[in-house]
């Protein structure tokens, strides 16, 4: 889905519970399970020469298409893909005019792992700013694949 709003209040509840008591294995498991079942927003500027209308809700992306993604970098020059659990977090991160892809977790984890040069993803930068390393993403993807 393109340019569709997203809201994930359950994620924020689970993240808050985990953040306040990160020694709880049950809270960690609940958060990890939810990370794998929810949808995310990925922001981008353009896809090659494809013209996207603001009211458009579907597009087809091919492996060879060149996505101009928003990225986030650290002071050590590590590159992270910013992902968002809701539209409000995206708007807090940037006021630029961007398009969004609304994607399921499995697609997102596979995409992030396939990109050269990424160190991981950062969930809701400028709000919770939770970095997930490539190893963490691979672990989440392994959990999805085990359950299918």
């Amino acid at each position: 889905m393109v340019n569709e709003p997203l809201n994930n209040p359950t994620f924020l509840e689970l993240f808050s519970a985990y953040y306040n008591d990160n020694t709880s294995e049950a809270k960690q498991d609940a958060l990890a399970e939810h990370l794998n079942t929810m949808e995310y927003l990925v922001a981008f500027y353009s896809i090659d020469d494809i013209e996207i209308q603001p009211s458009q809700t579907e597009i087809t992306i091919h492996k060879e298409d060149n996505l101009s993604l928003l990225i986030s970098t650290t002071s050590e020059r590590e590159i992270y893909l910013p992902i968002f659990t809701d539209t409000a977090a995206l708007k807090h991160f940037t006021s630029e005019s961007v398009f969004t892809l609304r994607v399921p977790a499995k697609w997102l984890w596979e995409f992030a792992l396939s990109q050269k040069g990424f160190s991981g993803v950062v969930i809701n930068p400028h709000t919770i700013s939770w970095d997930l390393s490539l190893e963490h993403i691979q672990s989440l993807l392994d959990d999805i694949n085990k359950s299918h």
Side-chain angles (χ1 to χ4, degrees):
M1 302 294 281
V2 179
N3 301 327
E4 288 287 310
L6 183 62
N7 189 15
N8 277 311
T10 304
F11 165 77
L12 295 175
E13 292 168 13
L14 291 169
F15 180 79
S16 181
Y18 170 72
Y19 185 79
N20 290 327
D21 179 12
N22 60 10
T23 61
S24 169
E25 193 168 320
K27 289 177 183 175
Q28 180 179 358
D29 290 346
L31 179 58
E33 184 176 323
H34 190 70
L35 286 172
N36 279 341
T37 60
M38 59 189 266
E39 293 183 315
Y40 300 85
L41 293 176
V42 176
F44 64 98
Y45 296 106
S46 65
I47 303 173
D48 283 336
D49 295 326
I50 299 172
E51 188 172 324
I52 302 169
Q53 302 301 318
S55 60
Q56 195 170 344
T57 59
E58 292 189 13
I59 59 170
T60 301
I61 300 174
H62 304 282
K63 285 187 177 185
E64 63 275 3
D65 287 338
N66 185 23
L67 279 168
S68 295
L69 297 166
L70 266 72
I71 60 169
S72 182
T73 58
T74 67
S75 58
E76 292 83 30
R77 296 182 168 228
E78 295 174 309
I79 300 171
Y80 284 82
L81 175 66
I83 61 174
F84 304 91
T85 60
D86 55 59
T87 305
L90 170 63
K91 289 181 179 182
H92 189 70
F93 179 67
T94 184
S95 59
E96 293 183 76
S97 178
V98 296
F99 300 104
T100 58
L101 293 175
R102 185 172 171 172
V103 298
K106 183 176 182 180
W107 184 96
L108 179 58
W109 303 151
E110 290 172 343
F111 177 79
L113 290 168
S114 73
Q115 299 305 298
K116 303 290 185 239
F118 279 179
S119 296
V121 300
V122 56
I123 298 176
N124 296 347
H126 292 199
T127 56
I128 63 170
S129 295
W130 185 23
D131 295 346
L132 299 182
S133 68
L134 294 176
E135 293 79 17
H136 193 166
I137 294 167
Q138 184 64 61
S139 176
L140 289 167
L141 182 59
D142 290 347
D143 288 346
I144 291 174
N145 291 332
K146 284 179 199 170
S147 67
H148 290 111

